[in-house]
Amino acid sequence: MSEVVIETRNLTKEFARDEFRIAALKHASIQINKGDFVALMGPSGSGKSTLLHLIAAMDRPSNGDIRVLGEDLRSLSDGAIARWRNAHVGFIFQSFNLLPVLTALENVELPLKLTRMAKSERTAHATKALQLVGLGERLTHTPRQLSGGQEQRVAIARAIVTDPDLILADEPTGNLDAASARDVLEMLVTLNKEFGKTIVMVTHDPHSAKSASSVRYLEKGELLPPGAKPVDWDA
Amino acid sequence: MAIPLSYNLRNLMARRTTTLMTALGIGLSVAMLLSILAMVEGLRSAFAATGHPLNVMVMRKGSTAELNSTLAQETFRIIKTKPGVARDARGEPKASLELVTVILLENPEIPSGININVRGLTADGFAMRDSDIRIVQGRMFQSGRREVVVGQGIADRYPMARLGKPLQFGKGEWQVVGVMDAGRSAANSEVFCDLFQLASDQNRETTLSSALLRATDEVSMRVLMNTLADDKQLSVDALPEAKYYADQTASGQPIQAVGILVAIIMAIGSGFAAMNTMYAAAARRSAEIGTLRVLGFSKLAILTSFVLESLLLSLLGAIFGCLLALPLNNLETGIGNSVTFSETTFSLRITPAIMATGFAFALVIGGLGGLIPAASAARKEILTALRQN
Ligand SMILES: Nc1ncnc2c1ncn2[C@@H]1O[C@H](COP(=O)(O)OP(=O)(O)OP(=O)(O)O)[C@@H](O)[C@H]1O
Ligand SMILES: [Mg+2]
């Protein structure tokens, strides 16, 4: 029996909008095991990002339980969550979110600033992470001097530099051309297959979803059972 | 452990124009404060440098300045023999009877003229000050002649009072026969002449202005001052000469108050400018703030980073302020005194302590101006921060 890394039960997230409360996620229960590569799919507004943000503890649920990597996220303080995320979760954004004034190396080094690592060790780790994503020659480039695909590779290096157990990605190929998207997906597969990272990836693109080992669909805030798709899902 | 300072420095450089404008605003208020402090410091040191520590100034009871004091010959004869007064080599008391009046001097900048102290004194009186004073041009005035020696500050600022020039006051013409360098002491902005010549010019042979006594030591000085003040018959006040001049610094206080008020108003203005700049910076970098939080940086780290950025900005402002104010250092100027109705020349003095005050002032502006935007940046929810772009 493999180790459960993510477990949610009746996880619900409501947003207040004017007088209404919008349920972005309703009673979602999911189990993800160590080493899984799960793609989350579904129409726009179905709650994919909301679920991912709750798993990353970037937001707090309105109701239900959530355990990630053995931690009950609801019981942790803001400070503890920040430290936990730094140590155990790598997050990849659709729009890369690199700090534009820092070089590639400095961007990747940033999460290590929160560890006890010495400067030389940080530089060594960050350089290695960048070499791993094929950017060993671009250490001193700033994001503006890089292509979108290269920026996303820097972001991947930043996500893996702390050697986290869990990698979360919200439409990582959404802003990329086909070739760059393929590179990024290949890297995620490598991280999953060779380094044993657990990956949860939100995607719109059925082709991208094929890289994952399993796909779960959401519809109107509901997580559909394994194997089920939204009714008029054409893909 | 924290968000690197280079992140802040590079962001300041990335928005160069805003950074420079804001820093310049802070710099102007720092320069304003520095010039006020330099003036106060200059005044203080001008007066503080005056007065032998054992010199006692005697004036009529209730007088606030030598100019409105009167002291009779008779009184002087009594007080100079009091115990505690030091004696010179000949066994004579070290005491000086003096007459102080004012003359109007003009220069091209001040065509309406400025009152300058004229001090009549004897060779003994001059000797009591000779540790402070050096004749640098011409010679000493001679007794019984209509001759004056002017302070260096006067000679520098008033061409009409330079060596060899005639001065018109009292009953006629006086000749400038010497220039004295009195360092930073009050004599540097006074005109010295013979006591009896001046007294007869002013018809004040019997009632002069004040007396200066040299005490033998500190303890006798205190006793002497008490004895004089307690003597109802004499009806005089006695105080250390140094204290008399230090009190004159008070005449700088209204200017100081107005200056500091202006500096504070400017500080509030530039504080708001800093705040505005930092609000804009935090808004523009909202997604970056969200990203930093996702990477594991705490709210406190965000707060610290933005406050530091604001402090860096104000540090640049402080440097601008010092550069703007430094040319004022050692600039000679004069100030009218509402008590003595006379002018004292002094130099603006920008000391390291004053510069440090300027830096502290700028950092307070930057710190307070940056705090609120930094706090609001730090308080934002991660997702809210990420969404704003
Ligand atoms: N902060 C918020 N305030 C109000 N409503 C929100 C907020 N965040 C999300 N929602 C709503 O919750 C629902 C789910 O949003 P979510 O971002 O999870 O969708 P998604 O599946 O990621 O969509 P997309 O594919 O377009 O990214 C949507 O109706 C959205 O409008
Ligand atoms: Mg989404």
Side-chain angles (χ1 to χ4, degrees):
Chain A
M1 191 59 204
S2 60
E3 187 187 332
V4 178
V5 175
I6 299 168
E7 184 172 26
T8 75
R9 202 165 291 148
N10 291 325
L11 195 65
T12 300
K13 178 67 188 180
E14 294 176 336
F15 291 105
R17 191 180 282 168
D18 306 328
E19 294 114 75
F20 302 95
R21 297 180 72 76
I22 294 179
L25 191 68
K26 300 175 209 165
H27 307 289
S29 300
I30 194 172
Q31 256 197 22
I32 295 173
N33 293 336
K34 186 171 170 57
D36 283 357
F37 185 167
V38 179
L40 295 179
M41 295 192 76
S44 178
S46 57
K48 304 181 294 292
S49 296
T50 302
L51 177 56
L52 201 69
H53 293 153
L54 291 174
I55 294 171
M58 283 156 62
D59 205 359
R60 290 186 181 271
S62 313
N63 244 312
D65 298 319
I66 177 163
R67 289 186 76 82
V68 181
L69 298 163
E71 293 284 356
D72 175 3
L73 295 186
R74 300 197 75 174
S75 68
L76 294 184
S77 70
D78 281 358
I81 282 179
R83 284 189 294 277
W84 169 83
R85 198 186 304 111
N86 177 254
H88 302 292
V89 182
F91 201 95
I92 300 166
F93 302 87
Q94 176 173 357
S95 46
F96 329 133
N97 288 23
L98 299 177
L99 303 196
V101 296
L102 300 186
T103 63
L105 186 66
E106 289 164 334
N107 264 290
V108 175
E109 215 184 306
L110 214 44
L112 298 178
K113 288 265 183 193
L114 291 166
T115 67
R116 282 182 212 286
M117 236 177 246
K119 168 79 187 154
S120 57
E121 213 180 332
R122 288 203 303 263
T123 311
H125 270 73
T127 307
K128 213 176 121 202
L130 279 165
Q131 282 164 350
L132 208 66
V133 298
L135 289 176
E137 313 290 304
R138 295 274 194 277
L139 301 183
T140 58
H141 286 52
T142 60
R144 212 192 310 238
Q145 298 165 322
L146 297 171
S147 72
Q150 290 170 328
E151 277 195 79
Q152 192 61 302
R153 274 143 70 189
V154 175
I156 292 174
R158 181 178 66 183
I160 60 172
V161 75
T162 54
D163 194 21
D165 309 292
L166 182 60
I167 292 172
L168 305 175
D170 196 346
E171 302 188 33
T173 58
N175 283 10
L176 299 181
D177 61 280
S180 300
R182 208 162 39 241
D183 287 348
V184 163
L185 287 168
E186 232 165 68
M187 262 169 232
L188 290 178
V189 169
T190 309
L191 287 170
N192 174 246
K193 292 258 161 57
E194 286 174 31
F195 295 86
K197 305 288 180 203
T198 310
I199 300 180
V200 182
M201 173 179 76
V202 169
T203 183
H204 263 122
D205 171 27
H207 184 75
S208 301
K210 288 204 181 83
S211 305
S213 46
S214 64
V215 184
R216 291 295 297 268
Y217 290 89
L218 285 102
E219 188 180 22
K220 292 178 184 157
E222 279 178 52
L223 181 71
L224 304 182
K229 290 187 184 182
V231 269
D232 42 5
W233 189 255
D234 39 4
Chain B
M1 276 308 286
I3 301 166
L5 212 56
S6 55
Y7 171 67
N8 304 108
L9 280 171
R10 288 192 214 155
N11 271 300
L12 286 171
M13 284 194 295
R15 51 184 155 95
R16 214 167 281 121
T17 317
T18 323
T19 299
L20 286 179
M21 299 301 263
T22 313
L24 210 58
I26 295 172
L28 285 173
S29 20
V30 169
M32 179 74 205
L33 180 80
L34 287 186
S35 38
I36 294 303
L37 292 179
M39 206 186 70
V40 173
E41 173 63 18
L43 262 180
R44 200 191 59 73
S45 68
F47 288 117
T50 306
H52 187 282
L54 292 177
N55 278 357
V56 173
M57 163 98 76
V58 184
M59 294 186 293
R60 188 191 63 200
K61 204 163 212 60
S63 297
T64 50
E66 288 178 285
L67 264 181
N68 53 36
S69 164
T70 53
L71 196 80
Q73 283 267 19
E74 194 48 40
T75 314
F76 178 65
R77 253 193 294 281
I78 301 168
I79 62 174
K80 72 177 176 182
T81 59
K82 291 283 181 194
V85 177
R87 307 226 161 215
D88 63 18
R90 295 164 295 152
E92 293 295 317
K94 283 190 176 176
S96 168
L97 183 60
E98 301 183 357
L99 175 59
V100 179
T101 179
V102 292
I103 57 168
L104 197 65
L105 290 187
E106 298 153 18
N107 69 11
E109 293 164 50
I110 315 164
S112 57
I114 288 280
N115 281 323
I116 299 295
N117 270 0
V118 176
R119 181 178 299 274
L121 73 178
T122 60
D124 289 345
F126 197 85
M128 286 175 71
R129 295 176 168 88
D130 61 5
S131 57
D132 291 341
I133 299 178
R134 224 159 28 90
I135 301 281
V136 287
Q137 276 178 49
R139 57 173 173 82
M140 180 63 186
F141 61 81
Q142 284 178 358
S143 64
R145 294 223 187 153
R146 303 176 71 82
E147 291 177 348
V148 302
V149 170
V150 301
Q152 182 83 64
I154 300 292
D156 289 348
R157 279 167 53 76
Y158 301 95
M160 65 182 288
R162 293 207 174 127
L163 188 64
K165 291 279 166 68
L167 285 179
Q168 209 67 39
F169 67 93
K171 289 183 180 154
E173 201 163 272
W174 296 68
Q175 208 66 31
V176 179
V177 298
V179 175
M180 56 184 172
D181 178 1
R184 302 208 310 276
S185 78
N188 216 38
S189 40
E190 287 190 342
V191 174
F192 279 15
C193 65
D194 179 48
L195 174 67
F196 301 108
Q197 194 61 48
L198 183 65
S200 86
D201 252 44
Q202 305 274 322
N203 293 324
R204 283 179 68 174
E205 281 99 340
T206 51
T207 42
L208 298 106
S209 301
S210 60
L212 197 63
L213 305 176
R214 171 72 56 83
T216 50
D217 56 83
E218 249 176 83
V219 178
S220 337
M221 180 174 170
R222 226 164 297 135
V223 176
L224 176 63
M225 289 190 296
N226 286 337
T227 317
L228 293 174
D230 292 347
D231 193 325
K232 295 265 182 330
Q233 220 101 51
L234 290 176
S235 181
V236 294
D237 282 329
L239 75 168
E241 188 192 15
K243 179 173 177 353
Y244 171 78
Y245 284 103
D247 289 348
Q248 301 293 315
T249 319
S251 63
Q253 268 167 6
I255 304 168
Q256 183 183 359
V258 170
I260 287 183
L261 188 72
V262 172
I264 287 175
I265 292 171
M266 287 177 70
I268 293 172
S270 50
F272 274 112
M275 188 185 291
N276 191 46
T277 301
M278 291 314 294
Y279 260 124
R284 191 155 354 93
R285 283 165 28 214
S286 182
E288 294 179 39
I289 294 167
T291 306
L292 285 164
R293 295 282 308 282
V294 172
L295 295 180
F297 288 95
S298 63
K299 292 180 178 183
L300 184 66
I302 304 288
L303 178 92
T304 313
S305 177
F306 274 84
V307 170
L308 276 178
E309 188 164 319
S310 185
L311 288 177
L312 285 174
L313 188 60
S314 62
L315 210 58
L316 187 64
I319 293 169
F320 282 162
C322 287
L323 290 179
L324 284 172
L326 265 181
L328 297 178
N329 197 19
N330 290 326
L331 184 78
E332 282 249 315
T333 185
I335 185 171
N337 182 320
S338 54
V339 180
T340 61
F341 303 106
S342 62
E343 196 203 45
T344 305
T345 58
F346 64 95
S347 316
L348 293 179
R349 291 169 54 76
I350 298 181
T351 62
I354 286 180
M355 289 224 255
T357 310
F359 271 86
F361 180 71
L363 290 179
V364 168
I365 296 176
L368 291 181
L371 197 58
I372 304 172
S376 84
R379 252 200 318 269
K380 237 180 256 173
E381 294 299 331
I382 295 180
L383 293 180
T384 317
L386 282 174
R387 211 173 303 117
Q388 285 168 2
N389 225 343

